[in-house]
Amino acid sequence: MTDTTVFQARLILTMNPARPRATHVAVREGRILGVGTAADLAGWGPHRLDTRFADQVLMPGLVEGHSHLMAGTFWRYVYGGYFDATDPAGKVWPGLKTLDAVVAALGVAASASDGPVTGWGFDPIYFGERRCHRHDLDRVSQTRPVGVMHASGHILNVNSVALEKAGLLRSGIDHPGIPLGDDGLPTGELKGPEAMMAALDQVGLNRAFLSGDEQGITDFGRLCVRAGVTTATDLAATLGETELATLERVTGAPDYPVRIVSLLRMMGMKPADAVDRARLLAERSTERLRLGRVKIVADGSIQGFSARLRWPGYYNGRPNGLWYTAPEAIREAYTLGLKHGVQIHTHTNGDEATELVLDCMTEALAASPRVDHRFTLQHCQLADDAQYRRMKSLGLCVNLFANHHHYWGDQHYAVTVGPDRAERMNACRSALDAGVPMAIHSDAPITPMAPLFTAWCAVHRLTASGRVLGEYQRISVDEALHAITLGAAYTLKLDAEIGSIECGKRADFCVLADDPSTVPAASLKDLRIWGTVQGGRVFAA
């Protein structure tokens, strides 16, 4: 029996400029043997012709360069988001439009089971100036811990019982991430990882569990197939031995459909320990589990008012946000990462955080020069043209949160940063014009994993209300498709393996019912996804 399969398609969009279009692709041992016509591939010898995609379009497997495995795990909890969302089984959950609706949904969950009551996807910025108070969640239960994670993942609201169990329901607390009410007690809003830490265990949201839960990792894979994704990140994992063993077992199963690139979160670790741990983890990489990179978080969330902004700060006058990692720790991590060849990705939402990171990188490169390091700034939402020019000079990549225009653009325009800065948020055109290698992302579960929707967002920059937010930062369809394939692969140092359909690369394909090169640009988000081929294995959505 031959070990070569030739897939026939209506059209293959290769993303390889040497041969951009084809009709057949030969696969052997999970890799691409050749691409072209049936006649072009005949020279490879006997093969099995697979015609199941004869009426479909193949393009490179989509690469989600910023996501989290908790996008699968969260679905065991109550969805409290403002927009409709689809679970791994394909069920659509309607958005909750008021705080009372979120409380009611948590109440239904409380009546159905014992133990903590947990929600996710919550974002009170849609509800005006009204913030969630612990007393709101006390309506769900006064005897059990109740918590709801914000959509940003940077803020947690909890009830009085959860605060008490975490040792926080007391006076005298002085912490920038723990606002106090008129009674001198915490309001129940916990901002940033340090403030949230004690309460996360009380409501079942420990990071190691979220990234190391077998069912969650399995459900994450289902989300990927539905989105056409064949490679996705878990961008901030604790990667303890128990968590890692689960990841190795699940991703090593013959039917697991996605390649996971898991980054070690440098939080609660010394920089030297994080870099050393990453180097050891790299040795345990497999075909479907890639390890050895580090993630640093510099600041918080813009819509959560915990990001660090340069002058003049927040448009509505809110105090500046939080620093999550000290400058000296960032600088040391960069210096050691460059010295030992450990790639580092850094979350910077506000432009002050971006400026700090650029300064740290300048000093680190002077101490540890290295070419082609591909350190990547994640989100980097408020960077201006001068900062993009600095990124280019420092050899940095950027992965922009294009979905933000749709989900929070109206709020950024009116509340967080104001009209002019909102126009330049996630400035894809500026990045490309400056020559900065660029990807775009969903940050799932912060927004749903759907790279084609992310591409649509970067092309059109439409808010939920239909406002064009930053007309001059739009990019073309071809540029957007590159950003969710080769662009994202480049930021992960995987562009030699994935991101295009060409000889020698992994046989990773997104299978579409529609041709993205011919549909109107407005329909990019609506392309029908049949499923994926990952390493030559076929998965239907």
Side-chain angles (χ1 to χ4, degrees), residues 308-332:
R308 293 292 304 193
L309 272 57
R310 293 187 296 187
W311 185 91
Y314 284 101
Y315 190 54
N316 66 350
R318 290 285 291 270
N320 210 346
L322 306 172
W323 290 112
Y324 284 12
T325 305
E328 54 270 22
I330 296 174
R331 187 165 50 249
E332 181 182 355

Side-chain angles (χ1 to χ4, degrees), residues 133-134 168 170-189:
H133 195 278
R134 70 176 191 275
L168 297 175
R170 54 184 175 82
S171 59
I173 291 177
D174 183 13
H175 190 288
I178 306 178
L180 305 179
D182 294 338
D183 58 2
L185 298 175
T187 64
E189 184 174 271

Side-chain angles (χ1 to χ4, degrees), residues 128-326:
E129 291 298 315
R130 173 81 158 87
R131 306 298 290 180
C132 181
H133 195 278
R134 70 176 191 275
H135 296 318
D136 293 307
L137 299 184
D138 288 344
R139 291 155 51 195
V140 177
S141 177
Q142 297 186 31
T143 59
R144 296 151 60 185
V146 179
V148 58
M149 180 68 76
H150 283 222
S152 69
H154 288 269
I155 302 174
L156 176 72
N157 275 95
V158 297
N159 70 342
S160 298
V161 173
L163 282 173
E164 185 174 18
K165 287 183 175 292
L168 297 175
L169 193 62
R170 54 184 175 82
S171 59
I173 291 177
D174 183 13
H175 190 288
I178 306 178
L180 305 179
D182 294 338
D183 58 2
L185 298 175
T187 64
E189 184 174 271
L190 306 175
K191 304 171 68 172
E194 186 178 68
M196 291 191 291
M197 192 65 68
L200 288 173
D201 284 339
Q202 308 304 326
V203 295
L205 291 175
N206 177 277
R207 172 71 75 163
F209 165 69
L210 292 175
S211 293
D213 171 63
E214 182 168 349
Q215 185 59 51
I217 300 168
T218 300
D219 285 342
F220 181 84
R222 294 192 180 101
L223 289 172
C224 288
V225 172
R226 296 179 65 85
V229 171
T230 55
T231 298
T233 55
D234 184 23
L235 210 79
T238 55
L239 291 176
E241 285 302 315
T242 301
E243 177 187 354
L244 187 55
T246 304
L247 269 170
E248 290 172 329
R249 183 175 68 256
V250 176
T251 60
D255 60 347
Y256 194 70
V258 64
R259 179 181 301 100
I260 302 296
V261 183
S262 190
L263 277 70
L264 176 67
R265 181 179 68 166
M266 194 188 84
M267 193 165 288
M269 304 179 71
K270 294 179 180 178
D273 293 339
V275 171
D276 286 346
R277 174 67 172 160
R279 295 172 69 192
L280 292 173
L281 287 169
E283 298 174 1
R284 295 172 66 170
S285 289
T286 66
E287 160 54 18
R288 290 197 293 278
L289 179 61
R290 303 303 178 91
L291 304 166
R293 300 162 180 81
V294 171
K295 164 77 176 295
I296 293 174
V297 182
D299 66 340
S301 156
I302 296 174
Q303 70 271 23
F305 302 99
S306 57
R308 293 292 304 193
L309 272 57
R310 293 187 296 187
W311 185 91
Y314 284 101
Y315 190 54
N316 66 350
R318 290 285 291 270
N320 210 346
L322 306 172
W323 290 112
Y324 284 12
T325 305

Side-chain angles (χ1 to χ4, degrees), residues 208-504:
F209 165 69
L210 292 175
S211 293
D213 171 63
E214 182 168 349
Q215 185 59 51
I217 300 168
T218 300
D219 285 342
F220 181 84
R222 294 192 180 101
L223 289 172
C224 288
V225 172
R226 296 179 65 85
V229 171
T230 55
T231 298
T233 55
D234 184 23
L235 210 79
T238 55
L239 291 176
E241 285 302 315
T242 301
E243 177 187 354
L244 187 55
T246 304
L247 269 170
E248 290 172 329
R249 183 175 68 256
V250 176
T251 60
D255 60 347
Y256 194 70
V258 64
R259 179 181 301 100
I260 302 296
V261 183
S262 190
L263 277 70
L264 176 67
R265 181 179 68 166
M266 194 188 84
M267 193 165 288
M269 304 179 71
K270 294 179 180 178
D273 293 339
V275 171
D276 286 346
R277 174 67 172 160
R279 295 172 69 192
L280 292 173
L281 287 169
E283 298 174 1
R284 295 172 66 170
S285 289
T286 66
E287 160 54 18
R288 290 197 293 278
L289 179 61
R290 303 303 178 91
L291 304 166
R293 300 162 180 81
V294 171
K295 164 77 176 295
I296 293 174
V297 182
D299 66 340
S301 156
I302 296 174
Q303 70 271 23
F305 302 99
S306 57
R308 293 292 304 193
L309 272 57
R310 293 187 296 187
W311 185 91
Y314 284 101
Y315 190 54
N316 66 350
R318 290 285 291 270
N320 210 346
L322 306 172
W323 290 112
Y324 284 12
T325 305
E328 54 270 22
I330 296 174
R331 187 165 50 249
E332 181 182 355
Y334 285 180
T335 303
L336 292 172
L338 291 166
K339 178 180 178 180
H340 295 291
V342 173
Q343 190 193 27
I344 298 178
H345 289 233
T346 306
H347 161 121
T348 73
N349 258 322
D351 50 2
E352 185 180 28
T354 297
E355 192 74 9
L356 169 69
V357 164
L358 294 176
D359 290 344
C360 289
M361 191 67 186
T362 300
E363 295 176 21
L365 277 168
S368 297
R370 178 178 287 270
V371 297
D372 198 31
H373 53 77
R374 301 194 207 178
F375 280 28
T376 299
L377 303 189
Q378 296 283 344
H379 303 329
C380 200
Q381 293 202 71
L382 278 177
D384 61 18
D385 283 6
Q387 290 178 323
Y388 281 114
R389 288 189 288 271
R390 288 190 71 190
M391 290 178 218
K392 171 64 175 176
S393 71
L394 295 169
L396 290 162
C397 305
V398 68
N399 190 356
L400 297 174
F401 200 169
N403 286 16
H404 244 265
H405 312 136
H406 180 75
Y407 287 102
W408 289 282
D410 292 318
Q411 286 70 35
H412 292 317
Y413 187 95
V415 179
T416 67
V417 299
D420 53 345
R421 284 181 294 173
E423 296 275 348
R424 77 161 191 252
M425 291 183 75
N426 299 292
C428 294
R429 173 52 54 205
S430 289
L432 293 178
D433 287 352
V436 177
M438 185 194 77
I440 51 179
H441 65 266
S442 70
D443 198 10
I446 311 311
T447 69
M449 183 188 297
L452 291 170
F453 174 81
T454 301
W456 175 87
C457 288
V459 169
H460 297 284
R461 295 183 66 97
L462 289 172
T463 71
S465 70
R467 180 197 303 273
V468 176
L469 192 61
E471 176 183 358
Y472 299 105
Q473 290 296 341
R474 289 169 161 176
I475 60 175
S476 71
V477 170
D478 286 347
E479 289 168 330
L481 293 178
H482 184 276
I484 59 174
T485 52
L486 270 170
Y490 185 89
T491 67
L492 299 172
K493 287 197 167 186
L494 292 176
D495 54 306
E497 294 186 60
I498 60 175
S500 61
I501 300 176
E502 53 186 299
C503 179

Side-chain angles (χ1 to χ4, degrees), residues 7 27 30 48 50 52-53 56-59 61-62 217-218 220-231 250-259 287-288 507-513 528-541:
F7 291 102
V27 175
R48 181 178 66 87
D50 190 321
R52 79 183 84 183
F53 304 137
Q56 313 282 14
V57 175
L58 302 184
M59 66 177 293
L62 306 184
I217 300 168
T218 300
F220 181 84
R222 294 192 180 101
L223 289 172
C224 288
V225 172
R226 296 179 65 85
V229 171
T230 55
T231 298
V250 176
T251 60
D255 60 347
Y256 194 70
V258 64
R259 179 181 301 100
E287 160 54 18
R288 290 197 293 278
D508 291 0
F509 316 132
C510 171
V511 185
L512 299 167
R528 294 169 294 166
I529 298 170
W530 182 93
T532 61
V533 177
Q534 207 274 347
R537 302 166 303 136
V538 177
F539 300 94

